[in-house]
């Protein structure tokens, strides 16, 4: 997995380090040489660059990234400019840090659906979501959650009965979302996808499947981690 993080303030730095510790390929970008110097030995690639300048961004392989996180801090204008430049370059998945409610509304108008709040805990959650392919989650009472996540490699080619979600992981598969164009779909959005309804026991998982799972968070974590074991 390849992740780019633009902006190395508190949130961006924590996210980069969490991803790097999980052996994810991480490219970090910031216009502050001191911030880049401080983290360059801990990540795969570190670049001193002003993300407001499209020419500089165009020289980097950002369209090949699995996700680009715009983690720019208090600079409202820089964040929006960076997002716009990334969209023009055809970046598949853009995740943006929210600065304030006005910023959030503008990002939504720009069709940015994945928005995050800046703190160390949310950085850790975001890192785990990126590593394990979680697109969306809804916390319920009693430790239960509903998540949308990419099918782990360990289940691809197997049937629902073979995987034993209920038996081995104490989870329910609500449905499966299938991108109508796997090469182009932005899986974090609800466009260009189709639902297969309630999956039968003989449903065979495919690599591009997005699973909608219900269960306790600890069991969902164990199931998703099983795919990277």
């Amino acid at each position: 997995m390849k992740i780019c993080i633009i902006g190395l303030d508190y949130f961006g730095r924590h996210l980069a380090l969490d991803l790097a510790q999980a052996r994810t390929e991480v490219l970090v970008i910031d216009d502050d040489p001191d911030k880049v110097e401080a983290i360059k030995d801990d990540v795969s690639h570190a670049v001193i660059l002003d993300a407001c300048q499209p020419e500089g961004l165009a020289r980097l392989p950002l369209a090949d990234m699995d996700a680009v996180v715009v983690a720019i801090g208090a600079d409202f204008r820089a964040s929006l400019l960076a997002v716009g430049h990334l969209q023009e370059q055809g970046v598949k998945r853009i995740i943006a840090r929210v600065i304030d409610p006005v910023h959030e509304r503008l990002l939504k108008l720009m069709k940015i659906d994945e928005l995050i709040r800046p703190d160390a805990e949310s950085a850790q959650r975001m890192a785990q979501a990126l590593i394990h392919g979680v697109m969306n989650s809804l916390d319920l009472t009693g430790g239960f959650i509903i998540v949308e996540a990419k099918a782990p490699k360990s289940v691809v080619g197997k049937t629902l009965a073979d995987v034993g979600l209920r038996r081995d992981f104490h989870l329910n598969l609500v449905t499966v979302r299938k991108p109508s164009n796997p090469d182009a779909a932005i899986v974090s959005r609800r466009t260009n996808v189709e639902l297969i309804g309630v999956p039968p026991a003989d449903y065979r998982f495919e690599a591009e499947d997005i699973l909608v799972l219900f269960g306790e968070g600890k069991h969902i974590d164990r199931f998703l981690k099983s795919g990277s074991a």
Side-chain angles (χ1 to χ4, degrees):
M1 175 173 284
K2 299 178 181 180
I3 305 294
C4 173
I5 299 170
I6 300 176
L8 291 174
D9 287 334
Y10 187 78
F11 174 83
R13 175 178 169 78
H14 274 83
L15 178 59
L17 292 174
D18 285 338
L19 289 169
Q21 288 172 5
R23 299 182 180 180
T24 300
E25 183 174 341
V26 181
L27 163 65
V28 297
I29 299 171
D30 200 285
D31 61 358
D32 186 330
D34 292 337
K35 292 178 180 178
V36 174
E37 178 67 23
I39 201 174
K40 67 181 180 64
D41 293 333
D42 297 310
V43 298
S44 306
H45 313 282
V47 177
I48 302 170
L49 182 69
D50 182 357
C52 295
Q53 304 301 321
E55 298 82 5
L57 291 177
R59 292 195 294 268
L60 300 174
L62 300 181
D64 297 332
M65 295 286 164
D66 293 292
V68 177
V69 181
V70 179
I72 294 172
D75 193 337
F76 192 109
R77 175 179 176 276
S79 173
L80 294 176
L81 283 174
V83 168
H85 297 328
L86 294 172
Q87 289 178 319
E88 290 175 354
Q89 291 185 28
V91 172
K92 293 176 292 187
R93 185 180 182 190
I94 302 171
I95 303 168
R97 170 185 174 176
V98 171
I99 296 173
D100 60 31
V102 175
H103 185 220
E104 180 174 357
R105 288 198 295 272
L106 291 173
L107 287 169
K108 288 181 177 179
L109 287 173
M110 296 175 74
K111 307 299 183 184
I112 302 300
D113 297 328
E114 293 187 83
L115 305 175
I116 47 181
R117 271 69 181 177
D119 56 50
E121 183 180 355
S122 61
Q124 187 175 44
R125 287 197 303 269
M126 176 57 67
Q128 290 301 312
L130 289 168
I131 292 165
H132 298 304
V134 174
M135 269 67 78
N136 292 296
S137 65
L138 175 63
D139 292 334
L140 304 173
T141 58
F144 290 92
I145 60 173
I146 297 174
V147 303
E148 292 179 325
K150 291 182 180 178
K153 292 180 181 179
S154 59
V155 308
V156 174
K158 297 180 181 179
T159 66
L160 178 56
D162 293 335
V163 172
L165 270 176
R166 289 188 180 181
R167 181 188 67 243
D168 298 334
F169 296 97
H170 310 290
L171 299 177
N172 286 319
L173 179 63
V174 180
T175 189
V176 177
R177 295 171 54 212
K178 304 182 78 67
S180 58
N181 184 351
D183 294 329
I186 301 176
V187 294
S188 61
R189 296 177 182 171
R190 297 184 181 276
T191 56
N192 299 319
V193 297
E194 55 184 274
L195 298 178
I196 67 163
V198 178
D202 61 354
Y203 177 78
R204 194 171 298 277
F205 294 105
E206 299 179 351
E208 298 298 330
D209 284 354
I210 302 165
L211 313 185
V212 182
L213 298 163
F214 168 77
E216 290 186 65
K218 62 182 180 180
H219 296 314
I220 289 177
D221 287 344
R222 184 166 64 88
F223 170 64
L224 295 178
K225 288 178 181 177
S226 72
S228 56

